[in-house]
Amino acid sequence: MTFKANPEKKKEFKNFMFKKILLRFLPILLLGLVFLDVSMGYVFWDETKNIKLIIFSTLISNVIFLVLCLFAFHLGTKMAASSLESWELNIEENYAILNNSAATSTVRFADFKKFKKTSDSITFYLGGLKQFYIYWDAYYDSDKLKNCLEDISQKIGAFTKENIPEDTPKTKVKFKSKFNIFLYVIIAIMLLIKILKIL
């Protein structure tokens, strides 16, 4: 069964994706910042013994880092929403394939451990940080998609991996523009600078 995304829902889809990304990655980023800040403070204390300078430089670097990360998250969700008309969700008996302009992802229902449902979406957890979330209001026939996903959620633990064809596409992320590459390079540089400050 194939469901096509509704391009009229771009704004709602962008807001949903932004919240999901924040909930998923912001705690990890904050933990990483705390670790880096403690390490940086320890190194700076040995060199300067100036607590005000350490606090000021740590706060400034944290604010800049978080602002840039939030900007990157916002930009990423905006780019995803801008091509919403190309999104297509194909649900089979034991797996689903999500196609969009950047990637093709296949998920096996047998890998689902649990789920969480809200009024407009469902999130399936595959263990660890791996998640598969669908905002059904962003698709045509949203009620039909909602029922389909709810049926899948009730069968968690009953799916088998053996029935999935070998020719289903694996996740392949393609860089569609130089801007995408530039964005990833900027994020990598920010992380590298943060690490080098410790050393």
Side-chain angles (χ1 to χ4, degrees), residues 27-170:
I28 299 168
L29 286 175
L30 292 176
L31 282 173
L33 279 178
V34 168
F35 173 76
L36 291 172
D37 290 344
V38 169
S39 304
M40 190 168 68
Y42 179 76
V43 172
F44 279 7
W45 180 253
D46 280 349
E47 292 180 6
T48 66
K49 307 289 187 189
N50 187 337
I51 191 69
K52 288 182 180 178
L53 176 65
I54 293 170
I55 292 172
F56 179 75
S57 61
T58 301
L59 285 175
I60 292 297
S61 62
N62 285 352
V63 168
I64 291 171
F65 180 76
L66 287 173
V67 167
L68 288 173
C69 282
L70 290 174
F71 176 72
F73 292 162
H74 171 74
L75 206 56
T77 54
K78 187 176 180 180
M79 289 169 61
S82 69
S83 61
L84 188 60
E85 59 275 357
S86 68
W87 286 57
E88 188 176 278
L89 178 64
N90 185 22
I91 298 179
E92 300 295 340
E93 186 178 349
N94 288 312
Y95 64 95
I97 301 172
L98 179 63
N99 289 302
N100 60 48
S101 61
T104 298
S105 302
T106 301
V107 290
R108 302 168 185 261
F109 299 153
D111 294 335
F112 293 164
K113 308 296 182 191
K114 60 181 181 176
F115 72 96
K116 183 179 179 182
K117 190 178 75 167
T118 65
S119 60
D120 55 12
S121 68
I122 191 165
T123 302
F124 294 100
Y125 298 90
L126 294 87
L129 289 174
K130 294 181 181 177
Q131 298 176 8
F132 180 65
Y133 39 85
I134 297 292
Y135 178 66
W136 59 61
D137 277 354
Y139 289 83
Y140 293 112
D141 297 325
S142 57
D143 289 334
K144 192 174 182 180
L145 176 57
K146 175 184 175 183
N147 293 334
C148 188
L149 293 170
E150 286 175 338
D151 287 344
I152 291 167
S153 68
Q154 300 307 316
K155 295 177 186 175
I156 288 179
F159 294 102
T160 57
K161 293 183 181 180
E162 292 77 21
N163 296 333
I164 299 177
E166 292 294 326
D167 60 344
T168 55
K170 296 180 180 177

